[in-house]
Amino acid sequence: MPTALITGITGQDGSYLAEYLLDLGYRVVGVTRRTSSAITDRLTHLLDRVELVGADLLDQSSLLAVVSCVQPDEVYNLAAQSFVPASFQQPILTGETTALGATRLLEAVRMARPDARFYQASSSEMFGHVTEMPQTEGTPFHPRSPYGVAKLYAHWIAVNYRESYGMHASSGILFNHESPRRGPEFVTRRISTAVARIALGLERELALGNLDARRDWGYAPDYVRAMHRMLQQAEPRDYVIATGATHSVRDFCEAAFAHVGLDYADHVVFDPAQLRPADVDLLVGDASLARVELGWEPTVDFLELVRIMVDADLDLAGAARPVRPRPSTIGAAG
Ligand code: NDP
Ligand code: GDR
């Protein structure tokens, strides 16, 4: 039974990856940091199957102790300060966690378990101000936030450990992926939560920033499969993981409100506070390499993703789904 060590197990991807690896028969050990209240909401259904150990990406000795003790076969570094706006407010913390945290973990693996296979959670935010369409593994990077810059450092340090020490370190350059477990502050989840509450008459408005930003949105459970497959390859390398389709925030709003029979234009208002000092206007990925080498394909398209998220938030709001307006039959022939 192989052992996987996952940092960021309490996050969206960590919970799906833990589920996936447990189903494959892995022993799964997750790293959690000390907080004043338990934040294992996304793991409640797995708590009797995963082992949780305490460590922090800011603390070298805790990481070394965990890797030494667990002796993992595979290490997935999913932990990060992952919210782009917070990285403008807390650029130093973001660098310490998202950039140097990866180095600390790589150092721990190099010292205590150098044969372990290592996955680094890289991001399409590294492309930022894009210079070519669609983006591939060869597209130049131009990050547009402290988060994107920190991820780029982590990406290159993983490449560096691969080249310098012969470690089996791979980075997945993952484009945005969402789910009902997405954090509440990210735009897709803000929309799906608000749509559910508006449909149920609990709210009227949703205040958003840049509606014209375009993203390549996929489904998180699809994306964790790609992480695992990267670590099963004989040779480590980096892969773009994306659907190849791009949609605007406005498109997401339109589809989400339409799913409950509403028009987004009646409910979405502009909130300048949601604008960023610099934004990423357009992302769309080309995952051809992953298709060929990993046999990876996304299974959920944009409209299905929107439906999954809105339906989950309707369920969460604890009410029956409202009946969608049907075409009137008055005056119909027959
Ligand atoms: P989340 O924000 O949901 O999860 C982040 C995780 O990191 C949480 O478990 C969090 O723990 C943990 N963490 C934060 N700081 C520390 C620390 N100092 N020490 C230990 N753990 C810490 O992110 P996602 O699941 O969405 O993303 C997973 C990874 O993939 C992240 O690195 C993200 O940047 C990257 N990524 C995500 C994409 C996406 O679209 N979702 C796309 C591309 C890359 P806690 O619960 O205690 O806060
Ligand atoms: P992103 O995701 O920055 O792409 O990073 P987010 O959902 O936060 O923003 C996407 C786009 O939507 C625009 N937007 C808003 N965003 C938020 N959060 N709230 C709003 O009210 C709002 N209105 C418009 C943003 O300006 C932006 O253009 C995510 C994270 O998961 C990263 O960790 C990951 O690396 C990248 O995806 C790939």
Side-chain angles (χ1 to χ4, degrees):
M1 177 163 67
T3 298
L5 180 69
I6 304 176
T7 71
I9 195 165
T10 55
Q12 170 188 257
D13 290 6
S15 66
Y16 285 118
L17 180 64
E19 243 167 58
Y20 182 68
L21 295 178
L22 285 167
D23 288 348
L24 290 178
Y26 277 70
R27 168 188 174 223
V28 174
V29 183
V31 172
T32 58
R33 55 180 173 160
R34 198 265 159 188
T35 48
S36 66
S37 49
I39 38 170
T40 48
D41 300 359
R42 296 180 176 106
L43 293 175
T44 313
H45 60 299
L46 300 177
L47 284 177
D48 58 343
R49 298 170 71 202
V50 294
E51 295 167 45
L52 299 180
V53 292
D56 197 304
L57 279 201
L58 302 178
D59 187 276
Q60 180 72 65
S61 60
S62 66
L63 296 172
L64 185 56
V66 162
V67 176
S68 304
C69 169
V70 172
Q71 288 293 304
D73 301 293
E74 297 174 10
V75 177
Y76 295 86
N77 183 31
L78 307 187
Q81 191 302 97
S82 77
F83 188 45
V84 172
S87 77
F88 286 102
Q89 292 157 357
Q90 300 177 355
I92 311 293
L93 176 77
T94 301
E96 284 286 354
T97 310
T98 305
L100 285 179
T103 316
R104 293 188 190 98
L105 187 59
L106 279 160
E107 271 296 276
V109 173
R110 184 177 75 83
M111 289 176 189
R113 185 71 164 118
D115 293 339
R117 296 186 170 198
F118 188 93
Y119 174 84
Q120 171 57 27
S122 286
S123 165
S124 53
E125 282 294 298
M126 302 186 312
F127 296 124
H129 186 66
V130 298
T131 50
E132 64 182 27
M133 292 264 295
Q135 294 87 55
T136 70
E137 293 79 5
T139 299
F141 299 119
H142 183 151
R144 296 263 289 169
S145 64
Y147 168 81
V149 173
K151 277 289 175 188
L152 190 49
Y153 173 95
H155 181 77
W156 281 118
I157 201 73
V159 172
N160 189 261
Y161 273 56
R162 177 165 83 212
E163 294 177 354
S164 303
Y165 305 119
M167 284 172 59
H168 193 294
S170 297
S171 289
I173 307 176
L174 271 50
F175 283 62
N176 299 54
H177 45 279
E178 320 292 316
S179 74
R181 296 185 201 166
R182 187 56 141 151
E185 67 276 44
F186 296 92
V187 76
T188 55
R189 191 72 198 287
R190 286 205 67 212
I191 297 168
S192 63
T193 308
V195 164
R197 294 182 60 79
I198 291 169
L200 297 171
L202 301 170
E203 278 170 24
R204 261 212 57 76
E205 276 185 358
L206 167 61
L208 293 176
N210 181 4
L211 293 188
D212 296 319
R214 300 182 74 86
R215 291 289 185 278
D216 180 330
W217 277 298
Y219 185 46
D222 281 344
Y223 286 46
V224 301
R225 284 191 288 109
M227 298 173 186
H228 174 253
R229 289 203 189 168
M230 283 178 218
L231 298 203
Q232 311 319 306
Q233 302 305 299
E235 297 299 324
R237 67 181 296 179
D238 307 324
Y239 296 89
V240 160
I241 302 297
T243 69
T246 187
H247 296 273
S248 65
V249 174
R250 189 187 310 280
D251 294 337
F252 200 105
C253 288
E254 199 169 352
F257 278 93
H259 184 52
V260 295
L262 297 173
D263 183 346
Y264 85 97
D266 296 333
H267 300 280
V268 173
V269 296
F270 175 60
D271 178 6
Q274 301 294 340
L275 296 178
R276 301 169 182 188
D279 206 346
V280 171
D281 300 326
L282 194 168
L283 291 172
V284 57
D286 175 354
S288 302
L289 186 67
R291 281 173 210 270
V292 173
E293 293 198 357
L294 307 180
W296 180 83
E297 293 279 350
T299 65
V300 171
D301 69 11
F302 175 72
L303 285 179
E304 197 180 345
L305 172 67
V306 173
R307 283 194 292 269
I308 290 171
M309 291 184 71
V310 172
D311 286 345
D313 277 321
L314 281 165
D315 287 346
L316 207 61
R321 199 167 307 162
V323 177
R324 280 183 231 151
R326 293 176 196 285
S328 168
T329 50
I330 298 170

